[in-house]
Amino acid sequence: MTVASTKAAAATLPRPRIWGIGRYDVAGQPVYVEVGWDDWRRDVAWARAMLADHGVGPGSGLVIVGGMAESPWFDPFETAARELGAPYSIGEIYAFEAFRTGMYARRLPITMIFGLDRTVAEGLGDELAEVVARVPVIVARPDAAGLLTEAGAQPVIVARVGPAIAVECPHRCGAHLNGAEWTLAERGGELFISTAGPRAHQVRQAALGLRGALADGPCGCGRTGQRVTISEGEMNP
Amino acid sequence: MPDDRFFEPEIETMPRASLAALQEERILELVPYVYERSTLVRRKWEEARIKPGDINSLADFTERVPFITKDDIRRFRDETGDPFGGLLCTRYADATTVFSTSGTTGDATLYGHAWGRWHPFWAATARDLWEIGVRPGDYVLGSGFKMRGPLYHADQMCGAIPLLVNTGIGGWATALDAIRRYRPVYAQLTGLAMAELDHLSRTNDMQELFSSFKGAAFAGEPLGARARAQLESWGVEVYVWTSTGDVTGAFECGQHDGCHAWEDCVLLEAVDPAGSAQVADGELGELVATSLDNLVTPMVRFRSDDIIRMTREPCGCGRTHARFWPVGRKGDETIVAGNSFVPMDIWRALEQVPQTATALFQLVRPAREIDELRVRVGYDPDTTTSVPELRDRVSEVITAAVGVPPVLELLPEPELLARGRGGKLPRVVKS
């Protein structure tokens, strides 16, 4: 098959130095995030564990709502879904593309929407209540949580936290950070991040322009690392 | 193994006879597979009194197998509730991804793939990026929309590093910073991106910005003459690409003499748009596609509504796979008060007016034959001082192009852009 021959050709080339580069902004200034291949592989493993906690496996169906520029944060969840045997579809993060997320939820046996943000939630309009009623697990960005709660959902939170991503487990008591990779600090309500793992992107106490609160201590899911609650939504989506 | 010239030299330059033999082998495997599994295919074939045993060659296939249209898929879906319109040959759970067509001309159609490390749609695109000049260690602006999945797989397969920054609507100002910093060699562009770049060109040295580029691909809709000239003035070599009925991508090569279809992925035909006969190379025909490497939702003689000219003559680049030139969409021809025109006529007219030169417009057409020419036009609010004067000028150029004065709805570009779907603005709408 075609992909086999192309894959064989690709395998003869030097692998790129890193998996890719993303970007987030703090106070209007860009911060570029290099993601190494080993970083990406560990991110996939962590994403896989988080999705599995929510019951994702063979027979699940996901809509992952994220833009191309969010791939450094969201591709690990896409790859994890593939590895867990759960088919996934992509919903774009524009209001005019909200119909696509709604269409997938309506036509396919979707068990989780991952990454739903306020723009798409609002873009769904009257269909939002139907989507909420159909889809058992909605993993939402902080800015969509209120809207989804009003629509009858009990959203699980996923938040981009600078170069990292944090996701709530089914206990919904703060979004777990991958503590092997990142450490957060909170000063005066503002969040700062440091790299903990052997990542390509190394930062120390970098301001994120995000307001939030941290919780430590064991969670009902058994994880012991930091959990974060973004209090005023992402300021640098 | 890639060489300086081709990513997969043996496949890309395969003699036509070998290519036909490969296609026949795959078609003869596909025929019983889809008949057993695709409920829509089985229904269509039973209506046509065709069985897999009747198909013993490529010629049998193209002569006897019935076409499938988008309407067939929609009708089957509406009748049965099957979200895949009878195309699914596996269980839903066996798919890795399920994506959908842009939905610009109606309800989006679902299509699935099963794959391991690399998405097959984008894997074949690695050949095209290699042709453009993407090489190991290069940075690639991983631009575009994600509704069709991880297109950066093609970058990574070439050994390049995707630079995943916002190049969606409103994102190009930030993307310019990334271009300055990383000096990428390639990006994907759309008409919506060109509208933004047009504005940014007033305050940025675009020639300097794009000086690291070996090329940029443009897709989603026709590339207007003004946009092409603009890109060329910035020193960007433009490679138009399109899809083959959503089966694979098809890119121009450095000869810019048609888009190469990868015929080991797709069986490409051009047929009489009003009938079923194959048209000769070079004549106008409707693109008909059959998937050769998708076991989840293989398209079988799918009529795409895309009007093309095709040739199987070897290209000057050395590749042997068929090339085609997109001409338009079937049914886009409109008749108003006895005058016939296509959307490109309005496009060219609007390019003449500076405030509408990005040619963002929609032809509002409830039917193919209309009494009144209604056009929704986007204008640049930053350079428009008088909307009534602009209305007169736009009316003048459209009347000259089409022969009928239009009824105009003028909107600031951002308002019109918000009506886009799947990275493009539907050019023909019902309301």
Side-chain angles (χ1 to χ4, degrees), chain A residues 1-23 25 30 32-34 37 40 58-62 66-75 78-79 82 85-90 92 94-97 99-100 103-104 106-110, chain B residues 1-2 7-8 11 26 77 83-84 92-93 95-102 107-108 110 115-118 120 123 126-127 130 136 139 142 144-147 149 151-152 156-166 168-169 174 177-178 181-182 264-265 292-293 417-418 420-422:
Chain A
M1 304 297 265
T2 304
V3 75
S5 69
T6 316
K7 188 177 166 185
T12 66
L13 295 172
R15 193 168 73 161
R17 178 178 62 84
I18 51 176
W19 179 89
I21 298 169
R23 165 184 163 150
D25 287 8
Y32 291 91
V33 183
E34 295 199 346
W37 285 99
W40 175 75
S60 304
L62 278 71
M68 186 65 78
E70 295 186 302
S71 299
W73 292 264
F74 281 70
D75 183 287
E78 296 167 30
T79 305
R82 173 170 62 77
Y88 71 90
S89 302
I90 298 284
E92 286 275 4
Y94 299 103
F96 60 78
E97 278 286 305
F99 84 96
R100 204 174 300 278
M103 175 198 68
Y104 289 133
R106 192 171 61 249
R107 288 195 200 164
L108 296 172
I110 297 300
Chain B
M1 183 174 182
F7 194 75
E8 294 183 82
I11 289 176
R26 289 187 178 179
R77 193 181 72 214
F84 291 90
Y92 166 67
T96 305
T97 46
V98 174
F99 297 141
S100 51
T101 57
S102 62
D107 258 3
L110 302 180
W115 48 282
R117 174 65 187 90
W118 305 109
R127 298 172 185 168
W130 194 263
Y139 292 98
F145 291 82
K146 205 169 179 186
M147 50 170 268
L151 62 80
Y152 44 86
Q156 292 169 328
M157 291 185 86
C158 288
I161 298 168
L163 185 52
L164 296 155
V165 300
N166 184 7
I169 295 167
T174 60
D177 180 75
R181 186 176 299 239
Y182 287 98
D264 54 329
C265 307
L292 297 179
D293 66 352
L417 285 171
R421 265 191 174 189

Side-chain angles (χ1 to χ4, degrees), chain B residues 5 128 131-133 186 214-218 223 228 231-232 235-241 251-260 311 315-319 323-326:
Chain B
R5 189 66 189 79
D128 303 297
E131 164 68 12
I132 291 169
Y186 167 79
K214 296 175 182 171
F218 184 94
L223 176 62
R228 181 183 284 279
L231 283 165
E232 285 171 358
V236 179
E237 185 168 359
V238 192
Y239 295 79
V240 170
W241 76 280
F251 281 66
E252 283 183 346
C253 66
Q255 300 285 314
H256 302 286
D257 192 16
C259 298
H260 283 272
T311 180
C315 179
C317 73
R319 288 152 153 174
R323 288 168 288 147
F324 64 94
W325 295 262

Side-chain angles (χ1 to χ4, degrees), chain B residues 388-411:
Chain B
E389 283 176 20
L390 177 63
R391 184 181 299 278
D392 291 344
R393 179 70 183 124
V394 169
S395 182
E396 187 183 310
V397 294
I398 291 180
T399 304
V402 177
V404 176
V407 176
L408 292 174
E409 181 185 355
L410 294 177
L411 295 174

Side-chain angles (χ1 to χ4, degrees), chain B residues 154-198:
Chain B
D155 313 336
Q156 292 169 328
M157 291 185 86
C158 288
I161 298 168
L163 185 52
L164 296 155
V165 300
N166 184 7
T167 53
I169 295 167
W172 273 91
T174 60
L176 296 192
D177 180 75
I179 291 174
R180 285 191 187 95
R181 186 176 299 239
Y182 287 98
R183 308 306 291 154
V185 301
Y186 167 79
Q188 295 237 13
L189 301 174
T190 62
L192 303 188
M194 282 307 298
E196 283 193 55
L197 288 169
D198 181 53

